[in-house]
Structures are given as structure tokens and as C-alpha cells.
Amino acid sequence: MRKMCLLVLAVASVLTSAGVDSATSKGGAGEGPERGGQPAAARTQSERERPISARAFNLEVTIDGYPLQQYPARGRVYIEAQAGAEYGITLRNPWPDRVAVALAVDGLNTIDARHTTARAASKWVIEPYGAITISGWQMSSTLARRFYFTSERDAYAARLGRPDELGLITAVFFRERRPITIVPPPRPPYILEDEQARTESRDKGAAPAKQSSARADSAGQARNRAGAPVPYDNDDYAATGIGRAVDHDVRRIKLELEDRPAAEISLRYEYHPALVRLGVLPHPHPHPPAPDPLQRREHARGFHHEQFCPEP
């Protein structure tokens, strides 16, 4: 069964995508296999009991449904790319509100391949406590082309002439703006009593007409609500290519977002040799440290024992 994904386009509109598993799109944060010895349902319940401001958004890169291990180092978080492998990006929303996510791979928006600010970017929408998996570049309202790990030369961004931010996945989350209700301050009791007395005296004889008018107004408001539109809310280094086409339906919706992002997550990806050179991963065959020439010279001795000169 095909599932539709929502997008927010240019701050005000959103698309939805088909190709997302129903468990992932509706209840993704609370389902799936156990991780870390704690059942997914228990993790979700624990997460919901935390204050909203303390709940962490989540970004994972998956291959065949399995998340790649993340390595915090050098003030960033790294993952190990696997040459030629297709991958997906899973985003989870731990909040009880809809959020919109600007998702960029190699500096390109995954929806339209543009390079903009996160605020101005077209965005994916995640339902409360939900999750989505984005597996490719969105090419139309029904098709996407898969992400896969490749070389810098073959990168989609390099083909478009924008190879400046290869090896980086960034997600910026924006919360849906809630309507602000202004409650007037309470009025002194004596003013309320005087106004009530005057109102009862003035409207005593006009009660039937007033009730009829109220019913008519109520019916008119109901008709207006029913007819009104609903507000909607180089080869050694890894890069991402543009792969095979897959079905991925999307739909645009309107969504009012808060001005400031709720969270931003970035992942750096590199092949294993690059991660070793960066010090993120240990060298598989560590070499003994090279001798210090100065220490060798300091330990030199002129004569040791009697002997003749050897043949070279």
C-alpha cells in the first residue's frame, strides 16, 4: 500500500511522500526493533514523559533498514560510508506537534536541489511522535531517485556544479506555529454586576428575537466553516550520487512555522580510510612509533669492547 509524504514548500507549503512505511510515518517513534536493551514502546513512553524542550530530534542513515553507527569526534558526528550502497535518511519527531524539516545532502535540498537558507527551504513534514524515511532526491510529485554513496567526481552536487559541501547531511527542524489566544484580564465584580443588571433590563422584552438571531448566526457560521478552505498547517572521498528511480508520491500542504528552528542535526560521512586519517576510527594495523633521531644520537657511545673492523 502506497503511503503519501507531506512537504512544506518555500516556508508555507508542504509535500507528502508515498513510499514511506505506514508504521514509520504514523507511529515511527514508538515502533520498530529493540535498541540498547529497551523496547521501542517503553522508550516512547519515557520520551513522552520528558519536558518538550528536553526531547531530542533524531537523524539516522540506514542501509537496508539498519542504521549506521555514529561516531562523535572532533566536535562533530561521523558515519562510515559504504561505496555503492543505497541509503535512506530517517527523521524522528519526539514532540506532540507537527514539525517541518529542511533536509540537505551535500548542500542540496533533497526536494528541489536548491541551496538556500533553512528557513526558506522546501521542507518535509513529520506528524506528532512520527517518523519519515527519505531515500532519494525528489524528481516530481510521484518519483524520486535513490541516494547512494559514490565518489566526488560522480556526486549529484558535482554534476550540478556545486561540489562545495560534499560529505554532509543536515536536517533543520521547525515547529508548527500554534495560534496565540489572548485572554483579557478579569474585570472588577461590581462592574460585572452593574452591567448584568442593565443588560437584563434592556433585553427583557427582546429575548425571543435575540434567540432567533443567535440561531441564525450560528447556522451561518457553520456554513462558512464548512465551505472555507482548511488551513494546513575525487574518488577517495565519499559523496552522494543520483541513482535509480523509485515511486515516492508527495503532496503540498500549507503550514505556519515558527521563525526559529527547534533543532539542527548534521552528520559527516566518509569512507573508512578517511575516517582513519581523521582519527575518528583507529588504524587497523598500527605501526610502532618511529625512533627519535635525536634520542638515538644522545645514546651514542664511542667504544664498547675490543673487536676488529667488520667487512661491510
CSV table of all heavy atoms in Angstrom, one decimal, residues 167-214:
chain,number,residue,atom,x,y,z
A,167,GLY,N,29.8,15.4,1.4
A,167,GLY,CA,30.1,14.6,2.7
A,167,GLY,C,29.3,15.1,3.9
A,167,GLY,O,29.7,14.8,5.0
A,168,LEU,N,28.2,15.8,3.7
A,168,LEU,CA,27.5,16.4,4.8
A,168,LEU,C,26.0,16.2,4.6
A,168,LEU,O,25.5,16.5,3.6
A,168,LEU,CB,27.8,17.9,5.0
A,168,LEU,CG,27.2,18.6,6.2
A,168,LEU,CD1,27.7,18.0,7.5
A,168,LEU,CD2,27.4,20.1,6.1
A,169,ILE,N,25.3,15.7,5.7
A,169,ILE,CA,23.9,15.6,5.7
A,169,ILE,C,23.4,16.5,6.8
A,169,ILE,O,23.9,16.4,8.0
A,169,ILE,CB,23.4,14.2,6.0
A,169,ILE,CG1,23.9,13.3,4.8
A,169,ILE,CG2,21.9,14.1,6.1
A,169,ILE,CD1,23.7,11.8,5.1
A,170,THR,N,22.4,17.4,6.6
A,170,THR,CA,22.0,18.4,7.6
A,170,THR,C,20.5,18.4,7.6
A,170,THR,O,19.8,18.4,6.5
A,170,THR,CB,22.5,19.8,7.3
A,170,THR,OG1,23.9,19.8,7.2
A,170,THR,CG2,22.1,20.8,8.3
A,171,ALA,N,19.9,18.3,8.8
A,171,ALA,CA,18.4,18.5,9.0
A,171,ALA,C,18.2,19.6,10.0
A,171,ALA,O,18.7,19.6,11.1
A,171,ALA,CB,17.9,17.1,9.5
A,172,VAL,N,17.3,20.5,9.6
A,172,VAL,CA,16.9,21.6,10.5
A,172,VAL,C,15.4,21.5,10.7
A,172,VAL,O,14.6,21.5,9.7
A,172,VAL,CB,17.3,23.0,9.9
A,172,VAL,CG1,16.9,24.1,10.8
A,172,VAL,CG2,18.8,23.0,9.5
A,173,PHE,N,15.0,21.4,12.0
A,173,PHE,CA,13.6,21.1,12.3
A,173,PHE,C,12.9,22.4,12.7
A,173,PHE,O,13.4,23.2,13.6
A,173,PHE,CB,13.5,20.2,13.5
A,173,PHE,CG,14.1,18.8,13.2
A,173,PHE,CD1,15.4,18.6,13.2
A,173,PHE,CD2,13.2,17.7,12.9
A,173,PHE,CE1,15.9,17.3,12.9
A,173,PHE,CE2,13.7,16.5,12.6
A,173,PHE,CZ,15.1,16.3,12.6
A,174,PHE,N,11.7,22.7,12.2
A,174,PHE,CA,10.9,23.8,12.6
A,174,PHE,C,9.6,23.3,13.1
A,174,PHE,O,8.9,22.5,12.5
A,174,PHE,CB,10.6,24.7,11.4
A,174,PHE,CG,11.8,25.5,10.9
A,174,PHE,CD1,12.7,24.9,10.0
A,174,PHE,CD2,12.1,26.8,11.3
A,174,PHE,CE1,13.9,25.6,9.6
A,174,PHE,CE2,13.2,27.5,10.8
A,174,PHE,CZ,14.1,26.9,10.0
A,175,ARG,N,9.1,23.9,14.2
A,175,ARG,CA,7.9,23.5,14.9
A,175,ARG,C,6.7,24.3,14.2
A,175,ARG,O,6.9,25.4,13.9
A,175,ARG,CB,8.0,23.8,16.3
A,175,ARG,CG,6.8,23.3,17.2
A,175,ARG,CD,7.0,23.7,18.6
A,175,ARG,NE,6.0,23.2,19.5
A,175,ARG,CZ,5.9,23.5,20.8
A,175,ARG,NH1,6.8,24.3,21.4
A,175,ARG,NH2,5.0,23.0,21.6
A,176,GLU,N,5.6,23.6,14.1
A,176,GLU,CA,4.4,24.3,13.6
A,176,GLU,C,4.0,25.4,14.6
A,176,GLU,O,3.9,25.2,15.8
A,176,GLU,CB,3.3,23.3,13.4
A,176,GLU,CG,2.0,23.9,12.8
A,176,GLU,CD,0.9,22.9,12.6
A,176,GLU,OE1,1.1,21.7,13.0
A,176,GLU,OE2,-0.1,23.2,11.9
A,177,ARG,N,3.6,26.5,14.1
A,177,ARG,CA,3.2,27.6,14.9
A,177,ARG,C,1.8,27.4,15.5
A,177,ARG,O,0.9,27.1,14.7
A,177,ARG,CB,3.3,28.9,14.2
A,177,ARG,CG,3.1,30.2,15.1
A,177,ARG,CD,2.8,31.4,14.2
A,177,ARG,NE,3.9,31.6,13.3
A,177,ARG,CZ,5.0,32.3,13.6
A,177,ARG,NH1,5.2,32.8,14.8
A,177,ARG,NH2,5.9,32.5,12.7
A,178,ARG,N,1.7,27.6,16.8
A,178,ARG,CA,0.3,27.4,17.4
A,178,ARG,C,-0.4,28.7,17.4
A,178,ARG,O,0.2,29.8,17.6
A,178,ARG,CB,0.5,26.8,18.8
A,178,ARG,CG,1.0,25.4,18.9
A,178,ARG,CD,1.1,25.0,20.3
A,178,ARG,NE,1.3,23.5,20.4
A,178,ARG,CZ,1.4,22.9,21.6
A,178,ARG,NH1,1.3,23.6,22.7
A,178,ARG,NH2,1.7,21.6,21.6
A,179,PRO,N,-1.7,28.7,17.2
A,179,PRO,CA,-2.4,30.0,17.4
A,179,PRO,C,-2.3,30.6,18.8
A,179,PRO,O,-2.4,29.8,19.8
A,179,PRO,CB,-3.9,29.6,17.0
A,179,PRO,CG,-4.0,28.2,17.3
A,179,PRO,CD,-2.6,27.6,17.0
A,180,ILE,N,-2.1,31.9,18.9
A,180,ILE,CA,-2.0,32.5,20.2
A,180,ILE,C,-3.3,33.1,20.6
A,180,ILE,O,-4.0,33.8,19.9
A,180,ILE,CB,-1.0,33.7,20.1
A,180,ILE,CG1,0.4,33.1,19.6
A,180,ILE,CG2,-0.9,34.4,21.4
A,180,ILE,CD1,1.4,34.2,19.4
A,181,THR,N,-3.8,32.6,21.8
A,181,THR,CA,-5.0,33.1,22.4
A,181,THR,C,-4.8,34.1,23.4
A,181,THR,O,-4.0,33.8,24.4
A,181,THR,CB,-5.8,31.9,22.9
A,181,THR,OG1,-6.1,30.9,21.9
A,181,THR,CG2,-7.2,32.4,23.5
A,182,ILE,N,-5.3,35.3,23.3
A,182,ILE,CA,-5.1,36.4,24.3
A,182,ILE,C,-6.4,36.4,25.2
A,182,ILE,O,-7.5,36.6,24.7
A,182,ILE,CB,-5.0,37.7,23.6
A,182,ILE,CG1,-3.7,37.7,22.7
A,182,ILE,CG2,-4.8,38.9,24.6
A,182,ILE,CD1,-3.5,39.0,21.9
A,183,VAL,N,-6.1,36.2,26.5
A,183,VAL,CA,-7.2,36.2,27.4
A,183,VAL,C,-7.3,37.5,28.1
A,183,VAL,O,-6.3,38.0,28.7
A,183,VAL,CB,-7.0,35.1,28.5
A,183,VAL,CG1,-8.1,35.1,29.5
A,183,VAL,CG2,-6.9,33.7,27.8
A,184,PRO,N,-8.4,38.2,28.1
A,184,PRO,CA,-8.5,39.6,28.7
A,184,PRO,C,-8.4,39.4,30.2
A,184,PRO,O,-8.8,38.4,30.8
A,184,PRO,CB,-9.9,40.1,28.3
A,184,PRO,CG,-10.7,38.9,27.9
A,184,PRO,CD,-9.7,37.9,27.4
A,185,PRO,N,-7.9,40.5,30.9
A,185,PRO,CA,-7.8,40.4,32.4
A,185,PRO,C,-9.2,40.4,33.0
A,185,PRO,O,-10.2,41.0,32.4
A,185,PRO,CB,-7.0,41.7,32.7
A,185,PRO,CG,-7.3,42.6,31.6
A,185,PRO,CD,-7.4,41.7,30.4
A,186,PRO,N,-9.4,39.8,34.1
A,186,PRO,CA,-10.7,39.8,34.8
A,186,PRO,C,-11.1,41.2,35.2
A,186,PRO,O,-10.3,42.1,35.6
A,186,PRO,CB,-10.5,38.9,36.0
A,186,PRO,CG,-9.0,39.0,36.3
A,186,PRO,CD,-8.3,39.1,34.9
A,187,ARG,N,-12.4,41.5,35.1
A,187,ARG,CA,-12.9,42.8,35.5
A,187,ARG,C,-13.4,42.8,36.9
A,187,ARG,O,-13.8,41.8,37.4
A,187,ARG,CB,-14.1,43.2,34.5
A,187,ARG,CG,-13.7,43.1,33.1
A,187,ARG,CD,-14.8,43.6,32.1
A,187,ARG,NE,-15.1,45.0,32.3
A,187,ARG,CZ,-16.0,45.6,31.6
A,187,ARG,NH1,-16.8,44.9,30.7
A,187,ARG,NH2,-16.3,46.9,31.7
A,188,PRO,N,-13.4,44.0,37.6
A,188,PRO,CA,-13.9,44.0,39.0
A,188,PRO,C,-15.3,43.5,39.1
A,188,PRO,O,-16.2,43.7,38.2
A,188,PRO,CB,-13.8,45.5,39.3
A,188,PRO,CG,-12.8,46.0,38.4
A,188,PRO,CD,-12.9,45.3,37.1
A,189,PRO,N,-15.7,42.8,40.2
A,189,PRO,CA,-17.0,42.2,40.4
A,189,PRO,C,-18.1,43.2,40.3
A,189,PRO,O,-19.2,43.0,39.7
A,189,PRO,CB,-16.9,41.5,41.7
A,189,PRO,CG,-15.5,41.4,42.0
A,189,PRO,CD,-14.8,42.5,41.3
A,190,TYR,N,-17.9,44.4,40.9
A,190,TYR,CA,-19.1,45.4,40.9
A,190,TYR,C,-19.4,45.9,39.5
A,190,TYR,O,-20.6,46.2,39.2
A,190,TYR,CB,-18.7,46.6,41.8
A,190,TYR,CG,-17.6,47.4,41.4
A,190,TYR,CD1,-17.7,48.5,40.5
A,190,TYR,CD2,-16.3,47.2,41.9
A,190,TYR,CE1,-16.7,49.3,40.1
A,190,TYR,CE2,-15.2,47.9,41.5
A,190,TYR,CZ,-15.4,49.0,40.6
A,190,TYR,OH,-14.3,49.7,40.2
A,191,ILE,N,-18.4,46.0,38.6
A,191,ILE,CA,-18.7,46.4,37.2
A,191,ILE,C,-19.5,45.3,36.5
A,191,ILE,O,-20.5,45.6,35.8
A,191,ILE,CB,-17.4,46.7,36.5
A,191,ILE,CG1,-16.7,47.9,37.1
A,191,ILE,CG2,-17.7,46.9,35.0
A,191,ILE,CD1,-15.4,48.3,36.4
A,192,LEU,N,-19.1,44.1,36.8
A,192,LEU,CA,-19.8,43.0,36.1
A,192,LEU,C,-21.3,42.9,36.6
A,192,LEU,O,-22.2,42.7,35.8
A,192,LEU,CB,-19.2,41.6,36.5
A,192,LEU,CG,-17.7,41.5,35.9
A,192,LEU,CD1,-17.2,40.1,36.3
A,192,LEU,CD2,-17.8,41.5,34.4
A,193,GLU,N,-21.5,43.2,37.9
A,193,GLU,CA,-22.9,43.1,38.4
A,193,GLU,C,-23.8,44.2,37.8
A,193,GLU,O,-24.9,44.0,37.5
A,193,GLU,CB,-22.9,43.2,40.0
A,193,GLU,CG,-22.3,42.0,40.6
A,193,GLU,CD,-22.1,42.2,42.1
A,193,GLU,OE1,-22.5,43.3,42.6
A,193,GLU,OE2,-21.7,41.2,42.8
A,194,ASP,N,-23.2,45.5,37.8
A,194,ASP,CA,-24.0,46.6,37.2
A,194,ASP,C,-24.3,46.3,35.7
A,194,ASP,O,-25.4,46.6,35.3
A,194,ASP,CB,-23.2,47.9,37.3
A,194,ASP,CG,-23.1,48.4,38.8
A,194,ASP,OD1,-23.8,47.8,39.6
A,194,ASP,OD2,-22.2,49.2,39.1
A,195,GLU,N,-23.3,45.9,35.0
A,195,GLU,CA,-23.6,45.6,33.5
A,195,GLU,C,-24.6,44.5,33.3
A,195,GLU,O,-25.5,44.6,32.5
A,195,GLU,CB,-22.3,45.2,32.8
A,195,GLU,CG,-21.3,46.4,32.6
A,195,GLU,CD,-20.1,46.0,31.8
A,195,GLU,OE1,-20.0,44.8,31.5
A,195,GLU,OE2,-19.3,46.9,31.5
A,196,GLN,N,-24.6,43.5,34.2
A,196,GLN,CA,-25.6,42.4,34.1
A,196,GLN,C,-27.0,42.9,34.4
A,196,GLN,O,-27.9,42.5,33.7
A,196,GLN,CB,-25.2,41.3,35.0
A,196,GLN,CG,-26.1,40.1,34.9
A,196,GLN,CD,-25.7,39.0,35.9
A,196,GLN,OE1,-24.7,39.1,36.6
A,196,GLN,NE2,-26.4,37.8,35.8
A,197,ALA,N,-27.1,43.8,35.4
A,197,ALA,CA,-28.4,44.3,35.7
A,197,ALA,C,-29.0,45.1,34.5
A,197,ALA,O,-30.1,45.0,34.2
A,197,ALA,CB,-28.4,45.1,37.0
A,198,ARG,N,-28.2,46.0,34.0
A,198,ARG,CA,-28.6,46.8,32.9
A,198,ARG,C,-29.0,46.0,31.6
A,198,ARG,O,-30.0,46.3,30.9
A,198,ARG,CB,-27.5,47.9,32.5
A,198,ARG,CG,-27.4,49.0,33.5
A,198,ARG,CD,-26.6,50.1,33.0
A,198,ARG,NE,-25.2,49.7,32.6
A,198,ARG,CZ,-24.2,49.8,33.4
A,198,ARG,NH1,-24.3,50.2,34.6
A,198,ARG,NH2,-23.0,49.5,33.0
A,199,THR,N,-28.2,45.0,31.4
A,199,THR,CA,-28.4,44.1,30.2
A,199,THR,C,-29.7,43.4,30.4
A,199,THR,O,-30.5,43.3,29.4
A,199,THR,CB,-27.3,43.1,30.0
A,199,THR,OG1,-26.0,43.9,29.8
A,199,THR,CG2,-27.5,42.3,28.8
A,200,GLU,N,-30.0,42.8,31.5
A,200,GLU,CA,-31.2,42.1,31.8
A,200,GLU,C,-32.4,43.0,31.6
A,200,GLU,O,-33.5,42.6,31.0
A,200,GLU,CB,-31.2,41.5,33.2
A,200,GLU,CG,-30.2,40.3,33.3
A,200,GLU,CD,-30.2,39.8,34.7
A,200,GLU,OE1,-30.9,40.4,35.6
A,200,GLU,OE2,-29.5,38.7,34.9
A,201,SER,N,-32.4,44.2,32.1
A,201,SER,CA,-33.5,45.2,32.0
A,201,SER,C,-33.7,45.6,30.6
A,201,SER,O,-34.9,45.7,30.1
A,201,SER,CB,-33.2,46.4,32.8
A,201,SER,OG,-34.2,47.4,32.7
A,202,ARG,N,-32.7,45.8,29.8
A,202,ARG,CA,-32.8,46.3,28.4
A,202,ARG,C,-33.3,45.2,27.5
A,202,ARG,O,-34.1,45.4,26.5
A,202,ARG,CB,-31.5,46.8,27.9
A,202,ARG,CG,-31.5,47.4,26.5
A,202,ARG,CD,-30.2,48.1,26.1
A,202,ARG,NE,-29.1,47.1,26.1
A,202,ARG,CZ,-28.1,47.0,26.9
A,202,ARG,NH1,-28.1,47.9,27.9
A,202,ARG,NH2,-27.2,46.1,26.8
A,203,ASP,N,-32.9,44.0,27.7
A,203,ASP,CA,-33.2,42.9,26.8
A,203,ASP,C,-34.3,42.0,27.2
A,203,ASP,O,-34.5,40.9,26.7
A,203,ASP,CB,-31.9,42.0,26.5
A,203,ASP,CG,-30.8,42.8,25.9
A,203,ASP,OD1,-31.1,43.9,25.3
A,203,ASP,OD2,-29.6,42.4,26.0
A,204,LYS,N,-35.0,42.4,28.3
A,204,LYS,CA,-36.0,41.5,28.8
A,204,LYS,C,-37.1,41.2,27.8
A,204,LYS,O,-37.6,40.1,27.7
A,204,LYS,CB,-36.6,42.2,30.1
A,204,LYS,CG,-37.5,41.2,30.9
A,204,LYS,CD,-37.9,41.9,32.2
A,204,LYS,CE,-38.7,40.9,33.0
A,204,LYS,NZ,-39.1,41.5,34.3
A,205,GLY,N,-37.6,42.2,27.1
A,205,GLY,CA,-38.7,42.0,26.1
A,205,GLY,C,-38.2,41.5,24.8
A,205,GLY,O,-39.0,41.2,23.9
A,206,ALA,N,-36.9,41.5,24.5
A,206,ALA,CA,-36.4,41.1,23.2
A,206,ALA,C,-35.8,39.7,23.2
A,206,ALA,O,-35.0,39.4,22.3
A,206,ALA,CB,-35.4,42.2,22.7
A,207,ALA,N,-36.0,38.9,24.2
A,207,ALA,CA,-35.4,37.6,24.3
A,207,ALA,C,-35.7,36.7,23.1
A,207,ALA,O,-34.8,36.1,22.5
A,207,ALA,CB,-35.7,36.9,25.6
A,208,PRO,N,-37.0,36.5,22.7
A,208,PRO,CA,-37.3,35.6,21.6
A,208,PRO,C,-36.6,36.0,20.3
A,208,PRO,O,-36.0,35.2,19.6
A,208,PRO,CB,-38.8,35.8,21.4
A,208,PRO,CG,-39.3,36.2,22.7
A,208,PRO,CD,-38.2,37.1,23.3
A,209,ALA,N,-36.6,37.4,20.0
A,209,ALA,CA,-35.9,37.8,18.8
A,209,ALA,C,-34.4,37.5,18.8
A,209,ALA,O,-33.7,37.2,17.9
A,209,ALA,CB,-36.1,39.3,18.5
A,210,LYS,N,-33.8,37.7,20.0
A,210,LYS,CA,-32.4,37.6,20.2
A,210,LYS,C,-32.0,36.1,20.0
A,210,LYS,O,-31.0,35.8,19.4
A,210,LYS,CB,-32.0,38.0,21.6
A,210,LYS,CG,-30.5,38.1,21.9
A,210,LYS,CD,-30.2,38.7,23.2
A,210,LYS,CE,-28.7,38.8,23.5
A,210,LYS,NZ,-28.4,39.4,24.8
A,211,GLN,N,-32.9,35.2,20.6
A,211,GLN,CA,-32.6,33.8,20.4
A,211,GLN,C,-32.7,33.3,19.0
A,211,GLN,O,-31.8,32.6,18.5
A,211,GLN,CB,-33.5,32.9,21.3
A,211,GLN,CG,-33.4,33.1,22.8
A,211,GLN,CD,-34.5,32.5,23.6
A,211,GLN,OE1,-35.4,31.9,23.0
A,211,GLN,NE2,-34.4,32.6,24.9
A,212,SER,N,-33.6,33.9,18.2
A,212,SER,CA,-33.8,33.6,16.8
A,212,SER,C,-32.5,34.0,16.0
A,212,SER,O,-32.0,33.3,15.2
A,212,SER,CB,-35.0,34.2,16.3
A,212,SER,OG,-35.1,34.0,14.9
A,213,SER,N,-32.1,35.3,16.4
A,213,SER,CA,-30.9,35.8,15.7
A,213,SER,C,-29.7,35.0,16.0
A,213,SER,O,-28.9,34.7,15.1
A,213,SER,CB,-30.7,37.3,16.1
A,213,SER,OG,-29.5,37.8,15.5
A,214,ALA,N,-29.6,34.5,17.2
A,214,ALA,CA,-28.4,33.8,17.6
A,214,ALA,C,-28.4,32.4,16.9
A,214,ALA,O,-27.3,32.0,16.4
A,214,ALA,CB,-28.4,33.5,19.1
